[in-house]
Amino acid sequence: MGRYLLKRLLIAIPTLIAISMVIYLVLALAPGDPLSGLASNPSIPPEIRESIRQSLGLNQPIHTRYVKWAIAFFTGNMGYSFASAVPVSQLIWQRLPTTLWVVGLAYIFSILIAFPLGILSALKRYTLTDQIATTVAFAGFSIPPFFTGLLFIILFSVKLGWFPSIYNSTLVVNSVPSLIAQAKQSIMPIAVLTLFQTAVLMRYIRAAVIEQLSADYVRTAYAKGLSSSQVIFRHILRNALIPVVTLIALDIPAVFTGALITEQVFRIPGIGSLLIDAINRSDTPVVMSITFIYAILIVLFNLVADVLYGVLDPRIRYQ
Amino acid sequence: MRLPPKALSFLTTALLSTTLFAACNPDTATMTESADSSTSSELKLLYWQSPTTLNPHLSNGIKDQEAASIVYEPLAAYDAEENLIPILAAEIPSKSNGGISKDSTSVTWKLRDGIVWSDGEPFTAQDVVATYDFITDPATGATSSEFYGEIASVEAVDDLTVKVSFKQPTGATLSPFIGGSGMIIPAHIFKDYIGANARSAPGNTKPVGTNAFQIREFRPGDTIIYEPNPYFRGDPSTFTTVELKGGGDAVSAARAVLQTQEADYAWNIQAEPSVIQELEASSSGRMEYVFKPMMERIYINFSDPNKEVDGQISQKDTPHPFLSEKPVRRAIGLAIDRETIVELLYGKAGTVATNFLVAPEKYASRSTSYEFNLEKAAALLEDAGWKDTNNNGVRDKDGIEMNILFSSSVNPVRQKTQEIIKQNLEDIGMSVELQSVEPGVYFGDPTNPDSVYQFKSDLQLFAFDSETPEPDSYMELYACDQIAQKENQWSKENSSRYCNPEYDVLLTQLKQETSAEKRKDLFIQMNNLLIDDVALIPLVRRSDAYAISDSLNNLEFTPWAASTWKLNSWGRQ
């Protein structure tokens, strides 16, 4: 196992270097300009743009810029944002808690809801319960989050006035009223995201459980006189969860990058909105850092998923 | 149903990894108290474009100046009536009080006594000098440097006197250190950050200013929280906290002010008139429009974009096959229904423009007019020999078809404007193909073939802001030596490749003229020349639209500075 881990980690290094090169190249070659923020102000003369471009180091060739960036990144320095002259790491740390709170909570909720619902609708296949759960899942899956988000805002903020449509990231939770305020402003975005993710997860869990239901070992388990709860929890679930756990493990990096559109709709200052803004402004250092951290997390959680396989399924052994 | 222990432990481990996120949840470390947000002493501003720097001279756009102007102040600023109001200056220099030298080559500013920066340091003439050094060092890459090019030197005569000397006599002696581009930054904070390291100055995110507020917290691209500056000279604001929240989109920002009342003020609402009307109806707020020196116009390509000469298209000495003919340009001007564009797409936020120089009022020509007349336009083309000889529905002459490529930046209002104009021009027998380019590319790097400076199309549509009430640099837009070409890496602004020696003569005169009356005549004369020659087609004069809660009062805006320039006098009813 130790050897296996070491091997995987060593393979990860060239993979990540290749990924970073590709991302950097794509960003450098993409049309767009860090000075596009000046677009709203076209009266800034081109020669001033040129001197700004030089002050950002954009006049150097791509490979020089890449090597400089790579050395800095691996020494923990993600550089400065073009747009705000603030270290990229500071920007990410500022946004991370909000993203983890909203997107992370939404993910936990969807797991908590999707598991019982998915198992239930698999066991009670083609009954009314299953039909309802499946319909809700399809609705949640097919309506895009930005649309549900807007619907929620119009209904709960404009018409009913229950929840704020603007997320206040500077709220400190240190008292009961502030906790209520925090809950109120989180409900809508979390609900929108939960609805979508629950739908995806539920369908997976349902399919995984159904697949196991007709397996031989299940029949054997029943035949030897186990109660149905024992069969479900001890036998079916354990096998059914293997693909689901992989799915969840691979989804966790996505929690880090936030919810791109939902964050925009509710003005949540998370990593997702930072990424979108940075892309719009061609703020290469920020885009590069977020996408590359995402790549690292993906590689890492891929490994975690593989290790989890071994834990869940004793038949899988790594050499 | 009893859970077997094995299954239970498994479920917990499966969930454990995700529950960990809950442990490091909401931002508790660096937060500020705002739970009692309903108290009237908090002012909430909503900016759908979020400020990313608090240094007005490194700003990427007006949004950053808006945020910076709550902290910093210029020496003086123009109000809505175009009067110069002293702010950090004790008085406005003039020839009569000796502030402006007889030969108009220098101006001496007396600074107000007793002003203190928000960290307790005194404000002196050295700060003005440092601001000048910061802006004009080319390595700084300051976005406001275009207003400081005519200056020869800035020196501190004593602690409260600054002398600005110009390279030559000028009529615009009072342009530097004025309004949004003239905010004074402290010498003691920025002295080590003039030049290449300007962008890493700590003062860019934790500014020390002289205005009524200072920064409590700045989250770039998200929220800025201001608190009163303890050293502010004047009456403190009625607000103890100002929160500027950025991000989102314009329509939902307007909705948050007008309908849900989550914010008191939303800046620069660009939305279609029908949407605004719907939000304004039965709302608890109002819209206010401040007309800017900003005008949406059509740029005409005087050179041929389809012929490559010396490795470049739109080479200045290659005339456009039909747009170089004045009757054709006049016909296009007559054919465009500017009124419909304003009515449908701008509403109260725009007016029909007929001038190149739309503001200030004193320099705006009154002799120009607007006419929409398709028959007259068609007759002009007919007379000039542009007829549809091959019956393909498009006018032609000597084998050249009137095919027009019309480009603009990606922006819903501009695309709709393009549609209307396409319709208009097709009505007089031209064939129009529309193109829209991503703004980052269109207004970005001039060496990109799709940028406005290279002018790959025949007509292009975008706005330009003359910014200052003494628009000398704006007039250079159509100077022969400003033509964007390969030789200068397209780093000049005359993208139309328009060159008229008569105009250049007037421009030279303007640069040397110091008499206010003669300057005025020159501005109007130059404007009329461009309009008469149809060097461009003005479409819409634009305004900034602000959504304001009914509970706010004492708001004062000016086209010549950020909307927040008098924020400290805002109050609540």
Side-chain angles (χ1 to χ4, degrees), chain B residues 309-322:
Chain B
V309 178
D310 296 342
Q312 62 178 324
I313 48 144
S314 298
Q315 201 272 338
K316 66 182 165 72
D317 300 321
T318 322
H320 194 281
F322 51 90

PDB file of all heavy atoms in Angstrom, chain B residues 309-322:
ATOM      1  N   VAL B 309      -1.830  47.086 -47.552  1.00  0.00           N
ATOM      2  CA  VAL B 309      -0.717  47.899 -48.042  1.00  0.00           C
ATOM      3  C   VAL B 309       0.359  47.873 -46.964  1.00  0.00           C
ATOM      4  O   VAL B 309       0.055  48.100 -45.797  1.00  0.00           O
ATOM      5  CB  VAL B 309      -1.169  49.358 -48.292  1.00  0.00           C
ATOM      6  CG1 VAL B 309       0.006  50.206 -48.766  1.00  0.00           C
ATOM      7  CG2 VAL B 309      -2.292  49.405 -49.306  1.00  0.00           C
ATOM      8  N   ASP B 310       1.593  47.595 -47.342  1.00  0.00           N
ATOM      9  CA  ASP B 310       2.707  47.554 -46.379  1.00  0.00           C
ATOM     10  C   ASP B 310       2.397  46.646 -45.190  1.00  0.00           C
ATOM     11  O   ASP B 310       2.673  46.997 -44.042  1.00  0.00           O
ATOM     12  CB  ASP B 310       3.020  48.950 -45.820  1.00  0.00           C
ATOM     13  CG  ASP B 310       3.497  49.898 -46.903  1.00  0.00           C
ATOM     14  OD1 ASP B 310       3.907  49.380 -47.957  1.00  0.00           O
ATOM     15  OD2 ASP B 310       3.445  51.109 -46.684  1.00  0.00           O
ATOM     16  N   GLY B 311       1.779  45.526 -45.432  1.00  0.00           N
ATOM     17  CA  GLY B 311       1.496  44.593 -44.344  1.00  0.00           C
ATOM     18  C   GLY B 311       0.452  45.067 -43.364  1.00  0.00           C
ATOM     19  O   GLY B 311       0.414  44.615 -42.228  1.00  0.00           O
ATOM     20  N   GLN B 312      -0.364  45.994 -43.759  1.00  0.00           N
ATOM     21  CA  GLN B 312      -1.461  46.390 -42.867  1.00  0.00           C
ATOM     22  C   GLN B 312      -2.680  46.746 -43.697  1.00  0.00           C
ATOM     23  O   GLN B 312      -2.582  47.215 -44.826  1.00  0.00           O
ATOM     24  CB  GLN B 312      -1.051  47.581 -41.999  1.00  0.00           C
ATOM     25  CG  GLN B 312      -0.727  48.836 -42.800  1.00  0.00           C
ATOM     26  CD  GLN B 312      -0.374  50.007 -41.911  1.00  0.00           C
ATOM     27  OE1 GLN B 312      -0.928  50.182 -40.836  1.00  0.00           O
ATOM     28  NE2 GLN B 312       0.571  50.815 -42.350  1.00  0.00           N
ATOM     29  N   ILE B 313      -3.845  46.524 -43.079  1.00  0.00           N
ATOM     30  CA  ILE B 313      -5.073  46.970 -43.721  1.00  0.00           C
ATOM     31  C   ILE B 313      -5.396  48.347 -43.145  1.00  0.00           C
ATOM     32  O   ILE B 313      -4.774  48.785 -42.178  1.00  0.00           O
ATOM     33  CB  ILE B 313      -6.220  45.978 -43.484  1.00  0.00           C
ATOM     34  CG1 ILE B 313      -6.272  45.628 -41.994  1.00  0.00           C
ATOM     35  CG2 ILE B 313      -6.057  44.732 -44.327  1.00  0.00           C
ATOM     36  CD1 ILE B 313      -7.642  45.448 -41.500  1.00  0.00           C
ATOM     37  N   SER B 314      -6.361  49.021 -43.693  1.00  0.00           N
ATOM     38  CA  SER B 314      -6.721  50.371 -43.257  1.00  0.00           C
ATOM     39  C   SER B 314      -5.489  51.261 -43.184  1.00  0.00           C
ATOM     40  O   SER B 314      -5.256  51.951 -42.199  1.00  0.00           O
ATOM     41  CB  SER B 314      -7.435  50.339 -41.907  1.00  0.00           C
ATOM     42  OG  SER B 314      -8.627  49.619 -41.994  1.00  0.00           O
ATOM     43  N   GLN B 315      -4.691  51.213 -44.231  1.00  0.00           N
ATOM     44  CA  GLN B 315      -3.494  52.054 -44.276  1.00  0.00           C
ATOM     45  C   GLN B 315      -3.957  53.478 -44.579  1.00  0.00           C
ATOM     46  O   GLN B 315      -4.817  53.688 -45.431  1.00  0.00           O
ATOM     47  CB  GLN B 315      -2.546  51.511 -45.341  1.00  0.00           C
ATOM     48  CG  GLN B 315      -1.110  51.919 -45.184  1.00  0.00           C
ATOM     49  CD  GLN B 315      -0.798  53.233 -45.877  1.00  0.00           C
ATOM     50  OE1 GLN B 315      -1.513  53.626 -46.788  1.00  0.00           O
ATOM     51  NE2 GLN B 315       0.244  53.901 -45.434  1.00  0.00           N
ATOM     52  N   LYS B 316      -3.367  54.460 -43.915  1.00  0.00           N
ATOM     53  CA  LYS B 316      -3.946  55.803 -43.934  1.00  0.00           C
ATOM     54  C   LYS B 316      -3.968  56.463 -45.313  1.00  0.00           C
ATOM     55  O   LYS B 316      -4.816  57.299 -45.584  1.00  0.00           O
ATOM     56  CB  LYS B 316      -3.239  56.706 -42.928  1.00  0.00           C
ATOM     57  CG  LYS B 316      -1.780  57.030 -43.223  1.00  0.00           C
ATOM     58  CD  LYS B 316      -1.226  57.895 -42.089  1.00  0.00           C
ATOM     59  CE  LYS B 316       0.271  57.973 -42.078  1.00  0.00           C
ATOM     60  NZ  LYS B 316       0.874  58.761 -43.148  1.00  0.00           N
ATOM     61  N   ASP B 317      -3.048  56.085 -46.207  1.00  0.00           N
ATOM     62  CA  ASP B 317      -3.023  56.733 -47.517  1.00  0.00           C
ATOM     63  C   ASP B 317      -3.830  55.970 -48.567  1.00  0.00           C
ATOM     64  O   ASP B 317      -3.780  56.289 -49.750  1.00  0.00           O
ATOM     65  CB  ASP B 317      -1.570  56.895 -47.993  1.00  0.00           C
ATOM     66  CG  ASP B 317      -0.781  57.748 -47.023  1.00  0.00           C
ATOM     67  OD1 ASP B 317      -1.370  58.737 -46.526  1.00  0.00           O
ATOM     68  OD2 ASP B 317       0.378  57.417 -46.728  1.00  0.00           O
ATOM     69  N   THR B 318      -4.549  54.944 -48.130  1.00  0.00           N
ATOM     70  CA  THR B 318      -5.409  54.190 -49.044  1.00  0.00           C
ATOM     71  C   THR B 318      -6.852  54.583 -48.768  1.00  0.00           C
ATOM     72  O   THR B 318      -7.434  54.106 -47.811  1.00  0.00           O
ATOM     73  CB  THR B 318      -5.266  52.674 -48.793  1.00  0.00           C
ATOM     74  OG1 THR B 318      -3.912  52.403 -48.497  1.00  0.00           O
ATOM     75  CG2 THR B 318      -5.740  51.865 -49.949  1.00  0.00           C
ATOM     76  N   PRO B 319      -7.422  55.496 -49.558  1.00  0.00           N
ATOM     77  CA  PRO B 319      -8.765  55.976 -49.202  1.00  0.00           C
ATOM     78  C   PRO B 319      -9.834  54.893 -49.315  1.00  0.00           C
ATOM     79  O   PRO B 319      -9.731  53.987 -50.146  1.00  0.00           O
ATOM     80  CB  PRO B 319      -9.018  57.115 -50.196  1.00  0.00           C
ATOM     81  CG  PRO B 319      -8.021  56.954 -51.262  1.00  0.00           C
ATOM     82  CD  PRO B 319      -6.874  56.149 -50.742  1.00  0.00           C
ATOM     83  N   HIS B 320     -10.826  55.002 -48.481  1.00  0.00           N
ATOM     84  CA  HIS B 320     -11.946  54.065 -48.522  1.00  0.00           C
ATOM     85  C   HIS B 320     -12.714  54.253 -49.822  1.00  0.00           C
ATOM     86  O   HIS B 320     -12.942  55.380 -50.241  1.00  0.00           O
ATOM     87  CB  HIS B 320     -12.860  54.329 -47.323  1.00  0.00           C
ATOM     88  CG  HIS B 320     -13.843  53.226 -47.093  1.00  0.00           C
ATOM     89  ND1 HIS B 320     -14.979  53.091 -47.832  1.00  0.00           N
ATOM     90  CD2 HIS B 320     -13.841  52.193 -46.215  1.00  0.00           C
ATOM     91  CE1 HIS B 320     -15.640  52.024 -47.418  1.00  0.00           C
ATOM     92  NE2 HIS B 320     -14.980  51.456 -46.432  1.00  0.00           N
ATOM     93  N   PRO B 321     -13.128  53.127 -50.466  1.00  0.00           N
ATOM     94  CA  PRO B 321     -13.757  53.250 -51.785  1.00  0.00           C
ATOM     95  C   PRO B 321     -15.018  54.123 -51.798  1.00  0.00           C
ATOM     96  O   PRO B 321     -15.305  54.740 -52.827  1.00  0.00           O
ATOM     97  CB  PRO B 321     -14.073  51.811 -52.171  1.00  0.00           C
ATOM     98  CG  PRO B 321     -13.891  50.997 -50.949  1.00  0.00           C
ATOM     99  CD  PRO B 321     -12.930  51.727 -50.088  1.00  0.00           C
ATOM    100  N   PHE B 322     -15.780  54.150 -50.733  1.00  0.00           N
ATOM    101  CA  PHE B 322     -16.952  55.042 -50.789  1.00  0.00           C
ATOM    102  C   PHE B 322     -17.110  55.933 -49.551  1.00  0.00           C
ATOM    103  O   PHE B 322     -17.634  57.024 -49.642  1.00  0.00           O
ATOM    104  CB  PHE B 322     -18.242  54.278 -51.076  1.00  0.00           C
ATOM    105  CG  PHE B 322     -18.507  53.091 -50.187  1.00  0.00           C
ATOM    106  CD1 PHE B 322     -19.221  53.244 -49.007  1.00  0.00           C
ATOM    107  CD2 PHE B 322     -18.073  51.813 -50.549  1.00  0.00           C
ATOM    108  CE1 PHE B 322     -19.482  52.140 -48.211  1.00  0.00           C
ATOM    109  CE2 PHE B 322     -18.331  50.713 -49.736  1.00  0.00           C
ATOM    110  CZ  PHE B 322     -19.041  50.877 -48.563  1.00  0.00           C
TER     111      PHE B 322
END
